[in-house]
Amino acid sequence: MHSSLHCATIVGAGARIVDVQVDLSLGLPGFYLVGLPDHSCIDARVRVLTAIRNSGYHLPQKKITVNLAPGDLRKEGAAFDLAIALGVLGASGLFPPVEGTVLVVGELALSGDLLPVRGLLPIALEARRLGFETLIAPEQNASEGALVQGLHVFGARTLVEAVAIYLGEGVAANPADPLAPAVHAVDLSEVRGQAHCKWALTVAAAGGHNALLIGPPGAGKTMLARRLPTLLPALSFEEAVETTSIWSIAGKLNPGQGLLSERPFRAPHHTVSVAGLVGGGSPPRPGEISLAHNGVLFLDELPEYSHAALEALRQPLEDGEVSVVRAKGAATLPARFMVLAAMNPCPCGHAMDADPERCRCTLPGKESYLRRISGPILDRFDLHIEAPAVSTRELSGAPDGETSTQAREKVEKARAIQRKRGVHCNAQLRGRALREACGATDRARGVLAGIIEASRLSARAYDRVLKLARTIADLAGSGRVNEDHVFEASQLRCLDRPLTGRDPRPPLHIARETVTHKSPGTAPGELPRERA
Ligand SMILES: Nc1ncnc2c1ncn2[C@@H]1O[C@H](COP(=O)(O)OP(=O)(O)OP(=O)(O)O)[C@@H](O)[C@H]1O
Ligand SMILES: [Mg+2]
């Protein structure tokens, strides 16, 4: 006797359908499982036979052969258990072949109970794409799968219930709570003082710019960073599905949890490994940057992260995805996130204090501390925000400044302008698209060229400041970038100013009147042509 069912496995950030073919034949009783299964998958033989017996079914003494097709796709995990068990019961003549297209997913306990599986949301999305009508899954996961419209998702607690559902009994599960508005536990107005930092974070949120907070201990850097997600626009439905799928694959969703409604905020400890950060394992699993997809990755105490971990961020920051290659397979995982980092300006943390005597660090000490962050990584932060110590008067005063809701309204308006421009956010603008989007006035370009020349900054910095100026103009509702926007943008890159005291470059906080007006260059690097 022969039977065939459909199951699915996770590959990267998506799912692939797997045919579970079961054959019962005369011969020495035994259980053979083929089709490139890994160890946890091969163990299904023990789980399935014991669960069938403990569920009260009688199995004929036959040779059982199970093939998981396609044979060249690695199968890992225990999610095939339920499909194998139903296939064995079907092949033994317990029930006739079922009409229609049914996908079956679930892990079996020895008692016959069903255990939840990872990645049910991407599996349900793939099932709907391929025209499946019904999905049978463990009850704990069913509401997650039911979020996918156009698919009947049934939750079963045990193998016996799954058999009944397979034969057409049972009631389809209700979807988990649909996208509920995010409720934030923290608010921007709780941070006292730091008006410049709050404005800088609003700019970063508006343009999706990566930002680095630098300041002495206790200035409120970590506090500010934790409030960034409250400034970001609400997740769209598509973004929520993408992010929830990744969390589902990583096994981070709670039972019965619906779509994630808050943008993720991931703050891995500085001892995180490269694999933990960008993803790894066999088969590849999402790392912190994929869990932060459509949200924020916060790197507190930036210089303490390993050089390898920070360098591994470079490619995903450019591409918005990460390719993880392992011996047992490769996967491309989505990783479009904002990076927010925080650091002290020197080992003791007081290098930027008004009173230079407070800093106890030696010059080589300061330099080696700053050298831990490579130039290319530093370059990927559009904003370098100085967070000075906050005075006791401010700390003891009433809450000041904007609330998160007020700041978010501005951010949402600015993002709407950017969407009309055809980009997700200004941080994605590159090259010619950036020049065209900026529509910088002649005077603005001249001022920018003057600042770049006076500060001896690179062509990349030119683009970064221009991009920031575009976001500031969007926040102001201005169609063109003018010199005020450029000046403001230049104030948001304090690390281009010397921290060690040795760098001969002039500060970027250049008073307007000290910048010689130059005629604009036409491209970065072509700085600036003298006015004819
Ligand atoms: N601007 C502020 N407004 C209100 N409370 C603040 C502010 N700055 C610091 N605090 C208080 O000080 C605590 C420590 O702040 P936080 O951890 O954010 O400092 P930090 O700049 O990250 O310091 P470190 O460099 O040591 O990590 C906060 O939990 C908060 O209670
Ligand atoms: Mg901190």
Side-chain angles (χ1 to χ4, degrees):
M1 285 283 280
H2 176 87
S3 77
S4 175
L5 280 93
H6 293 104
C7 188
T9 190
I10 294 295
V11 179
R16 284 270 306 268
I17 302 298
V18 172
D19 276 355
V20 179
Q21 303 154 3
V22 183
D23 182 76
L24 260 63
S25 58
L26 291 176
L28 278 179
F31 198 136
Y32 302 90
L33 181 58
V34 297
L36 225 53
D38 76 348
H39 285 298
S40 57
C41 190
I42 282 187
D43 289 345
R45 296 177 303 182
V46 180
R47 290 190 297 268
V48 165
L49 288 186
T50 316
I52 287 179
R53 202 178 54 244
N54 287 338
S55 300
Y57 298 107
H58 172 72
L59 269 187
Q61 292 289 307
K62 290 197 173 166
K63 176 181 159 193
I64 303 170
T65 310
V66 176
N67 179 33
L68 304 176
D72 59 352
L73 176 70
R74 244 168 230 288
K75 324 291 180 320
E76 64 88 28
F80 304 97
D81 290 3
L82 182 59
I84 295 172
L86 290 178
V88 169
L89 292 172
S92 68
L94 191 77
F95 42 75
V98 169
E99 299 282 315
T101 48
V102 184
L103 192 78
V104 180
V105 186
E107 174 178 348
L108 279 171
L110 297 184
S111 60
D113 288 344
L114 273 173
L115 304 175
V117 294
R118 285 185 291 107
L120 198 73
L121 183 57
I123 288 174
L125 288 167
E126 180 68 358
R128 184 185 61 183
R129 193 181 73 80
L130 295 177
F132 281 85
E133 293 164 358
T134 306
L135 170 63
I136 304 176
E139 195 188 37
Q140 293 100 313
N141 290 136
S143 54
E144 178 189 331
L147 288 167
V148 178
Q149 290 180 352
L151 187 70
H152 301 292
V153 180
F154 293 87
R157 277 171 297 187
T158 60
L159 175 59
V160 175
E161 278 187 25
V163 170
I165 293 167
Y166 192 61
L167 295 176
E169 298 163 23
V171 181
N174 290 322
D177 279 347
L179 200 53
V183 183
H184 299 290
V186 292
D187 195 274
L188 192 63
S189 60
E190 290 157 3
V191 182
R192 307 287 155 83
Q194 305 293 23
H196 168 71
C197 296
K198 292 181 193 173
W199 167 242
L201 281 188
T202 308
V203 174
H209 301 287
N210 301 325
L212 173 59
L213 284 160
I214 308 141
K221 301 181 294 296
T222 306
M223 201 177 169
L224 279 160
R226 294 201 173 273
R227 279 142 186 88
L228 178 59
T230 69
L231 308 186
L232 290 170
L235 278 175
S236 70
F237 183 75
E238 289 73 25
E239 286 177 325
V241 170
E242 279 174 11
T243 308
T244 312
S245 292
I246 296 169
W247 279 55
S248 171
I249 290 168
K252 300 269 181 201
L253 289 185
N254 300 323
Q257 182 169 351
L259 290 178
L260 292 176
S261 55
E262 262 187 77
R263 289 190 182 268
F265 180 85
R266 302 294 299 177
H269 189 254
H270 59 72
T271 51
V272 66
S273 66
V274 174
L277 193 63
V278 300
S282 229
R285 290 252 176 275
E288 289 292 336
I289 61 170
S290 293
L291 292 170
H293 182 58
N294 289 320
V296 178
L297 179 75
F298 177 45
L299 305 176
D300 208 356
E301 316 297 348
L302 186 68
E304 304 302 331
Y305 286 81
S306 77
H307 177 75
L310 290 182
E311 294 301 305
L313 286 177
R314 281 166 61 173
Q315 178 255 330
L317 275 175
E318 294 297 322
D319 301 343
E321 59 182 26
V322 60
S323 303
V324 185
V325 183
R326 290 288 180 275
K328 285 188 183 171
T332 300
L333 299 162
R336 198 180 60 228
F337 54 94
M338 270 177 76
V339 186
L340 182 60
M343 62 182 275
N344 299 127
C346 64
C348 84
H350 295 287
M352 285 167 142
D353 276 20
D355 173 12
E357 297 295 309
R358 261 201 98 185
C359 180
R360 301 184 305 273
C361 305
T362 59
L363 193 56
K366 281 190 214 174
E367 284 180 336
S368 85
Y369 179 77
L370 291 176
R371 258 202 309 273
R372 291 193 211 163
I373 310 160
S374 73
I377 282 293
L378 209 53
D379 247 358
R380 280 164 174 78
F381 291 99
D382 290 352
L383 291 91
H384 305 159
I385 312 164
E386 199 173 331
V390 50
S391 68
T392 37
R393 190 176 49 77
E394 281 170 321
L395 272 180
S396 55
D400 52 357
E402 287 179 328
T403 62
S404 291
T405 311
Q406 288 167 330
R408 192 169 58 244
E409 276 166 14
K410 290 182 184 169
V411 168
E412 275 172 350
K413 274 190 199 148
R415 287 274 181 126
I417 296 172
Q418 293 164 44
R419 275 196 299 278
K420 277 194 202 136
R421 198 173 285 141
V423 287
H424 178 69
C425 57
N426 283 343
Q428 291 176 346
L429 287 170
R430 303 255 189 286
R432 206 170 60 182
L434 173 64
R435 302 289 137 74
E436 284 169 5
C438 281
T441 61
D442 273 0
R443 178 148 177 82
R445 288 198 289 153
V447 165
L448 176 56
I451 290 174
I452 298 288
E453 191 186 37
S455 310
R456 296 203 215 154
L457 295 179
S458 67
R460 193 184 254 165
Y462 181 98
D463 273 6
R464 300 269 156 183
V465 178
L466 198 55
K467 235 186 262 191
L468 270 183
R470 179 63 267 173
T471 302
I472 292 166
D474 287 344
L475 280 164
S478 163
R480 299 196 74 182
V481 168
N482 65 29
E483 67 268 27
D484 286 337
H485 305 138
V486 169
F487 267 112
E488 210 165 335
S490 73
Q491 303 292 304
L492 295 173
R493 285 185 67 92
C494 76
L495 258 202
D496 291 328
R497 293 188 291 126
L499 282 183
T500 59
R502 220 185 223 182
D503 193 331
R505 292 178 305 178
L508 195 56
H509 281 268
I510 298 166
R512 283 162 153 260
E513 55 276 12
T514 65
V515 176
T516 332
H517 180 79
K518 304 278 174 114
S519 67
T522 51
E526 200 183 323
L527 304 173
R529 290 193 311 269
E530 283 303 327
R531 210 180 270 271

